[in-house]
Amino acid sequence: MPEHPYILHITERPLWDAARETGTYEMSTRGRTLAEEGFIHCSTRAQLRPVANFLYGSEDAPDDLVVLVVDPARLGVPVKYEAPEPGGEEFPHVYGPIPVDAVVDVEVWE
């Protein structure tokens, strides 16, 4: 059972702004869509900093990052906790688009 009810997804503000216009967020991770990956990568609060450093820790990283705080109960699609390799740390994966109304908060990433 997850330690917190919400899951998190770090993204670029323009991608979130575009999702607000269409009604759903469909980016899986930096540079890859839900259609390409099959699910949307998320994290717990404890996993967020290492994930952010991995994805956006380079010099070419955008400076307008936000963290989407997602309520899994509002998704309407499965969330599975899965490890990238057997025995590894499990991360929440959202198997479908994230409706904008499932995002209960948007935090600026510093």
Side-chain angles (χ1 to χ4, degrees), residues 67-88:
V67 177
L68 307 182
V69 181
V70 179
D71 182 350
R74 295 183 183 192
L75 288 173
V77 296
V79 176
K80 299 178 184 177
Y81 282 73
E82 301 170 310
E85 68 276 333

Side-chain angles (χ1 to χ4, degrees), residues 25-110:
Y25 179 82
E26 298 188 26
M27 288 300 296
S28 176
T29 188
R30 185 176 184 189
R32 298 206 28 103
T33 66
L34 169 62
E36 292 169 323
E37 196 75 3
F39 57 85
I40 296 174
H41 290 268
C42 291
S43 64
T44 64
R45 180 71 62 187
Q47 295 167 328
L48 184 60
R49 183 158 303 279
V51 167
N53 288 340
F54 176 75
L55 293 173
Y56 296 102
S58 63
E59 290 182 16
D60 69 335
D63 60 2
D64 56 350
L65 298 175
V66 294
V67 177
L68 307 182
V69 181
V70 179
D71 182 350
R74 295 183 183 192
L75 288 173
V77 296
V79 176
K80 299 178 184 177
Y81 282 73
E82 301 170 310
E85 68 276 333
E89 184 176 11
E90 293 185 342
F91 293 83
H93 296 155
V94 177
Y95 279 85
I98 296 176
V100 295
D101 63 358
V103 177
V104 296
D105 196 12
V106 178
E107 302 170 356
V108 175
W109 181 257
E110 310 249 352

